[in-house]
Amino acid sequence: MNFVGSHILSVSQFDRRAVERVFDVADQMLPYAHRQLVTRVLEGAILGNMFFEPSTRTRVSFGSAWNLLGGEVRETTEIKASAIAKGESFYDTARVLSGYSDVIVMRHQQEGSVDEFAIASRVPVINGGDGANEHPSQALLDLYTIRKEMTDRGKDIDGLRIALVGDLRYGRAVHSLCKLLSLYSDLHFTLVSPPELSLSKDYIDGIKSAGHEVIESDELHSGIRHADILYVTRTQEERFPSQAEADRYKGLFRLNQSIYTEYCEPNTVIMHPLPRDSRGNANELDNDLNENPNLAIFRQTDNGVLVRMALFALILDVVDKVGATATKVSWYTAKRF
Ligand code: CP
């Protein structure tokens, strides 16, 4: 895969070698993300951070990643604050914004919208999430986290046992992660969801045709028994035809410390793309897990900055130049990592 000048629209663009390249570069970004070194390699460059759907971590971590490389960020945070609300097309919007930016990150509720935008853009476009379709940078940071967590436990991604829990129908992070994991060998997938929110046949066929085992279940306790990774997801209520329908599925699968202790193997890693829905009728990942050392959700969010810095550095061909402008941080830095 040639990263330089490329759009990142789907994880289907990646082979295993390309994934490992992203991870190697992400490792190199640690001293910058950890506020030990400062680089100005992207000084003068502008990121168009175009989010037409709500976001906390994807938007802010893409912006932070760009800033940590020395660049400036311009952003839109909702449709009504952009001229799309006045009927402007993706084509026109992309033509305009690509005149102001060196890279554009875009999120939109419509599947395929980012592809359409990229066709008209004159600069590289990264998919920050298009409807229920894909979320490539989330899957990369999830897989980067899985690799780190497994390495810490003396294991590898090959042979991994993963249980995906919750809304597998509308969860774009799950869709992209399944495709990326399929690049590895001899994986065991347990898909735990209500039948109506199961992973679509196309994704399951893709996993099986890559040689992996797939077991489907609508029962949480048996589904999580033999897993290295539990990947829990929120009911994606914004994708349902009505709130009432979404509410039918909230709270069906709740993981808390007592269920974890009773049914999971010791050291099973708990992941979630976040946001978790902490409201009483949902609460798929209970706060009583917050002190569990195997809860990796905030390690995922920290890793998101590293992976997004790596994508920018690869796309703009500055990997070998990041260190050339590096200086030591001159301010007090809290120990966050
Ligand atoms: N995981 C994720 O996409 O989170 P945000 O919606 O906050 O960006």
Side-chain angles (χ1 to χ4, degrees), residues 34-259:
H34 287 191
R35 312 299 197 276
Q36 293 158 349
L37 294 175
V38 178
T39 175
R40 307 302 308 163
V41 71
L42 291 188
E43 189 159 30
I46 295 175
L47 174 69
N49 214 18
M50 298 298 131
F51 278 71
F52 301 112
E53 200 183 44
S55 170
T56 296
R57 69 229 81 231
T58 310
R59 179 174 61 81
V60 178
S61 67
F62 265 122
S64 297
W66 189 269
N67 288 149
L68 285 165
L69 291 166
E72 298 276 342
V73 179
R74 298 284 176 271
E75 62 183 18
T76 293
T77 53
E78 51 186 344
I79 286 178
K80 69 177 188 233
S82 81
I84 290 178
K86 302 177 193 171
E88 188 162 53
S89 66
F90 289 140
Y91 181 90
D92 287 5
T93 307
R95 290 288 296 179
V96 171
L97 294 175
S98 57
Y100 306 156
S101 316
D102 294 278
V103 173
I104 294 173
V105 178
M106 179 178 165
R107 170 177 287 189
H108 193 282
Q109 65 186 16
Q110 191 179 310
E111 288 185 28
S113 54
V114 186
D115 292 38
E116 198 181 328
F117 191 91
I119 288 167
S121 173
R122 294 166 284 171
V123 300
V125 174
I126 301 177
N127 183 356
D130 64 320
N133 184 34
E134 278 228 36
H135 196 345
S137 65
Q138 178 71 45
L140 286 165
L141 77 87
D142 287 340
L143 190 58
Y144 182 74
T145 304
I146 289 170
R147 189 182 71 155
K148 278 192 166 180
E149 298 290 328
M150 288 300 98
T151 302
D152 289 348
R153 290 161 179 75
K155 295 182 181 177
D156 201 354
I157 301 177
D158 292 321
L160 185 81
R161 301 166 301 164
I162 184 166
L164 298 156
V165 179
D167 180 356
L168 310 184
R169 176 179 179 185
Y170 294 117
R172 59 190 172 201
V174 165
H175 297 163
S176 293
L177 183 58
C178 286
K179 285 191 196 176
L180 269 193
L181 282 169
S182 295
L183 297 173
Y184 290 77
S185 302
D186 191 27
L187 271 62
H188 306 267
F189 290 78
T190 306
L191 309 176
V192 183
S193 71
E196 300 86 349
L197 301 186
S198 61
L199 190 65
S200 77
K201 186 176 176 313
D202 283 352
Y203 284 106
I204 293 176
D205 287 349
I207 296 168
K208 286 182 176 169
S209 68
H212 308 293
E213 180 187 64
V214 178
I215 296 167
E216 291 188 85
S217 171
D218 59 3
E219 211 276 312
L220 180 68
H221 297 168
S222 58
I224 63 177
R225 265 187 192 282
H226 303 294
D228 300 302
I229 302 278
L230 299 182
Y231 191 93
V232 181
T233 65
R234 173 181 68 92
T235 302
Q236 309 281 304
E237 61 184 21
E238 63 276 30
R239 314 261 176 251
F240 283 74
S242 70
Q243 187 64 48
E245 195 168 333
D247 286 344
R248 284 173 50 202
Y249 301 103
K250 284 186 179 182
L252 288 182
F253 301 118
R254 295 180 179 192
L255 185 67
N256 60 27
Q257 186 58 53
S258 67
I259 292 171

Side-chain angles (χ1 to χ4, degrees), residues 317-336:
D317 199 17
V318 294
V319 172
D320 296 333
K321 300 177 188 138
V322 172
T325 60
T327 53
K328 282 194 176 162
V329 164
S330 60
W331 60 86
Y332 163 77
T333 53
K335 199 168 169 56
R336 283 160 294 183

